[in-house]
Amino acid sequence: MENHTDLSPFKGKFTIGPPDSPKITFKTTPLSGRGTRTKRRSRSLSTSSADSYSSGSYSSSSEDDGVSPREKSQQNTTGFNDFCVANINQAAFGRREIEIAEQEMPGLILLRKRAENDKPLKGARIIGCTHITAQLAVLIESLGALGASVRWSACNIHSTQNEVAAALAEAGFPIFAWRGETEEDFWWCIEKCIMNDGWQPNMILDDGGDATHVLLKKWPDTFKLIKGIVEESITGVHRLYQLSKTGKLTVPAMNVNDSVTKIKFDNLYCCRESILDALKRTTDIMFGGKQVIVCGYGEVGKGCCAALRGLGAVIYVAEVDPICALQACMDGFRVVTLEAVVRHVDIVITATGNKNVVCRQHLDRLKNGCVVCNMGHSNTEIDVNSLRTPDLTWEKVKRQVDHIIWPDGKRIVLLAEGRLVNLSCSTVPSFVLSITATTQALALIELYNAPAGRYKQDVYLLPKKLDEYVATLHLPNFDAHLTELNDDQARYLGINKAGPFKPNYYRY
């Protein structure tokens, strides 16, 4: 019997259907270069960075047209040109992304509406160094609506959404960022935010401490004039505490990373969803039955473990803190050392905020096909530089996905070159970022308007009252209704009826 579904040799025409039925005919074209193999070669950081990409964005890298944004002469439709983005012509698409994000950021939009007339940030000149995404754009525009003047760069060379950066530049904001910056570009962009004739910063909003570091190192006199620093990452907060300990922190700083509304929502709930998104988009991996080790069982690690267990993965946890390790045990996870399971795991995730958590000795022992990625802020957790040696071959699979190939043919899958995988390879929930962005905005307002003497040259946590206000702004989105204490109940607890409801030492 004639086989009408035989598609080989994939050229000319083929038909589908039984012999006596009308035929559906397709014309096909031979695949050029079929069976050829691209020669493997090592890739430098700058080359690989230029290829970076997030599946959550339609941004192309800065090198797609062969011209670095620093070499382009661009201006928006009003003639404004104090910016450096990949392509200002992407602004219309970026604006639509920002509008979608606004719908899922009710708390921040509500804060903007309530405070816009009062302009609590009038006179504030803010340097921003954060991820530049649609959600962050809503924060930037909110700060502008509250009276601030801002200049912004990216804290991560992989996470910028080019179309969003273009939309902000089109709206008149000085933005210096594009996806796929080199290391040199990264520092240049931060300096462009700081250096501007007739504009001197008096506030910093940082994510990782890089803007703070550059300003303190290169312009120490200007740094002394800063009214306050708001830092949202564990890496940046660690840097601030080091500066404070050594007496080099000459301005007050607000640690919003450890505020309840940041650590309990952004770190936990956001990472619980975005780790799956990042791994699926980059590898199409099935999690059921896979063995995964999560290094670090803080809020980020807890979110990752909960998500992966929900899809049937076998989870191991590596921890140095006995309290976090005990929590992992009580949650049903095996606490082991990385060395004990490194040969057997299918996925390695770092979430510690430390350095060299996964070293070359671990990477050498991983099984073929193991996926390695980082969920901590800094790119120091995985010793990627140890993989840039002549004996190993880097093979680009697609943007943000590399094969690292050993001489015996073993290969591992490295995501985002060890940088923050969820913001480099996927997107994160806008609602959770609304909580974080509202926390950042209130911290800026608090530091900028604080009377002299309230905050000294040290690192502070966000006042509990503001933490509760952030939560209050988001409850209407769930049609949630709070129970009110009566006078007798408030006296019994020794608190104000309107809050704060918990002492600062309370652990939620």
Side-chain angles (χ1 to χ4, degrees):
M1 181 177 179
E2 184 180 359
N3 183 0
H4 289 271
T5 59
D6 182 7
L7 308 185
S8 61
F10 291 100
K11 60 182 178 179
K13 297 181 179 180
F14 63 84
T15 60
I16 295 179
D20 298 327
S21 66
K23 305 297 189 295
I24 302 174
T25 304
F26 296 89
K27 290 185 178 181
T28 62
T29 304
L31 297 175
S32 60
R34 186 174 177 84
T36 61
R37 185 179 180 90
T38 304
K39 183 179 179 181
R40 299 172 182 169
R41 60 187 177 90
S42 299
R43 302 181 67 88
S44 67
L45 173 63
S46 58
T47 303
S48 184
S49 297
D51 285 333
S52 59
Y53 175 80
S54 166
S55 300
S57 163
Y58 291 100
S59 297
S60 58
S61 75
S62 61
E63 298 297 329
D64 282 354
D65 58 5
V67 180
S68 168
R70 291 170 62 177
E71 299 173 3
K72 296 179 182 179
S73 178
Q74 301 184 81
Q75 63 180 27
N76 69 8
T77 54
T78 66
F80 175 75
N81 63 3
D82 186 18
F83 62 85
C84 188
V85 299
N87 186 353
I88 189 64
N89 294 324
Q90 295 178 333
F93 177 57
R95 176 51 54 187
R96 291 194 291 272
E97 286 198 343
I98 295 170
E99 290 169 352
I100 291 173
E102 285 179 341
Q103 298 173 23
E104 270 288 292
M105 303 184 74
L108 182 59
I109 298 301
L110 183 56
L111 175 64
R112 183 198 297 183
K113 290 179 179 178
R114 289 185 178 182
E116 190 169 6
N117 291 335
D118 295 332
K119 295 288 187 291
L121 290 174
K122 183 178 181 180
R125 297 178 297 277
I126 303 170
I127 298 172
C129 184
T130 66
H131 301 283
I132 297 184
T133 62
Q135 297 82 11
L136 193 281
V138 180
L139 172 60
I140 291 176
E141 294 187 336
S142 296
L143 296 178
L146 299 183
S149 169
V150 306
R151 297 177 68 83
W152 226 271
S153 65
C155 70
N156 186 306
I157 64 176
H158 293 325
S159 64
T160 298
Q161 292 177 286
N162 285 340
E163 65 279 4
V164 170
L168 288 169
E170 176 61 33
F173 291 98
I175 303 295
F176 299 86
W178 59 94
R179 184 184 305 281
E181 298 169 7
T182 64
E183 291 290 330
E184 180 188 357
D185 293 335
F186 174 79
W187 298 111
W188 179 85
C189 288
I190 293 177
E191 292 182 7
K192 286 292 291 184
C193 287
I194 298 172
M195 296 185 301
N196 186 55
D197 293 338
W199 193 91
Q200 183 169 284
N202 56 20
M203 299 290 291
I204 299 174
L205 177 56
D206 222 346
D207 187 343
D210 292 315
T212 301
H213 170 76
V214 171
L215 188 59
L216 177 60
K217 182 178 179 180
K218 293 196 171 185
W219 293 277
D221 291 337
T222 302
F223 183 81
K224 294 176 182 178
L225 301 176
I226 295 294
K227 294 193 67 174
I229 301 168
V230 174
E231 173 59 57
E232 74 151 328
S233 78
I234 188 171
T235 304
V237 166
H238 179 65
R239 288 179 171 183
L240 287 175
Y241 281 120
Q242 286 182 322
L243 290 175
S244 178
K245 186 176 180 180
T246 58
K248 296 179 181 178
L249 185 63
T250 57
V251 300
M254 193 75 77
N255 165 14
V256 298
N257 179 73
D258 292 313
S259 65
V260 176
T261 44
K262 168 66 167 64
I263 198 166
K264 287 293 182 181
F265 294 90
D266 191 333
N267 293 20
L268 176 61
Y269 298 116
C270 175
C271 295
R272 190 172 67 184
E273 296 195 15
S274 58
I275 181 60
L276 300 179
D277 192 15
L279 287 170
K280 283 288 188 183
R281 291 185 193 223
T282 52
T283 67
D284 295 319
I285 194 170
M286 183 172 180
F287 298 110
K290 292 293 190 302
Q291 296 190 59
V292 183
I293 184 163
V294 177
C295 301
Y297 201 68
E299 298 301 327
V300 173
K302 288 180 175 69
C304 293
C305 289
L308 292 163
R309 178 167 61 181
L311 291 183
V314 179
I315 311 296
Y316 302 100
V317 171
E319 249 301 343
V320 298
D321 186 325
I323 296 176
C324 292
L326 183 58
Q327 286 180 309
C329 292
M330 296 295 288
D331 287 338
F333 301 116
R334 283 195 60 195
V335 176
V336 299
T337 62
L338 177 57
E339 290 77 9
V341 297
V342 69
R343 292 187 182 276
H344 310 295
V345 292
D346 301 289
I347 304 172
V348 178
I349 301 170
T350 55
T352 69
N354 207 337
K355 63 179 291 187
N356 296 336
V357 177
V358 179
C359 304
R360 177 62 186 269
Q361 64 187 41
H362 301 122
L363 297 163
D364 284 338
R365 298 171 61 195
L366 290 173
K367 65 190 292 186
N368 184 56
C370 184
V371 178
V372 182
C373 65
N374 170 44
M375 278 291 285
H377 172 82
S378 178
N379 63 333
T380 59
E381 299 205 31
I382 302 167
D383 187 7
V384 175
N385 286 334
S386 70
L387 298 174
R388 302 185 186 280
T389 55
D391 61 317
L392 300 182
T393 301
W394 284 60
E395 182 179 74
K396 179 63 63 178
V397 179
K398 55 184 176 180
R399 289 167 181 166
Q400 300 289 39
V401 183
D402 289 289
H403 276 156
I404 315 300
I405 306 171
W406 269 252
D408 63 358
K410 184 197 88 170
R411 64 183 62 198
I412 65 171
V413 181
L414 178 66
L415 303 183
E417 294 181 330
R419 294 179 182 271
L420 189 58
V421 71
N422 59 347
L423 277 162
S424 296
C425 300
S426 68
T427 56
V428 295
S430 296
F431 185 84
V432 171
L433 291 188
S434 175
I435 298 173
T436 300
T438 305
T439 305
Q440 292 170 312
L442 287 172
L444 287 167
I445 293 170
E446 172 68 15
L447 283 177
Y448 183 69
N449 292 281
R454 175 182 293 178
Y455 296 107
K456 298 179 171 51
Q457 300 169 353
D458 206 347
V459 184
Y460 295 85
L461 291 174
L462 190 72
K464 181 71 68 174
K465 186 65 178 176
L466 294 183
D467 247 338
E468 292 177 352
Y469 184 56
V470 172
T472 301
L473 289 171
H474 289 84
L475 286 175
N477 193 64
F478 299 98
D479 193 26
H481 302 277
L482 290 172
T483 300
E484 294 185 9
L485 294 174
N486 59 40
D487 292 336
D488 186 50
Q489 289 172 323
R491 282 194 300 270
Y492 178 78
L493 294 174
I495 62 175
N496 190 298
K497 287 177 61 176
F501 297 97
K502 301 290 190 298
N504 287 332
Y505 57 79
Y506 182 81
R507 301 298 181 191
Y508 289 81

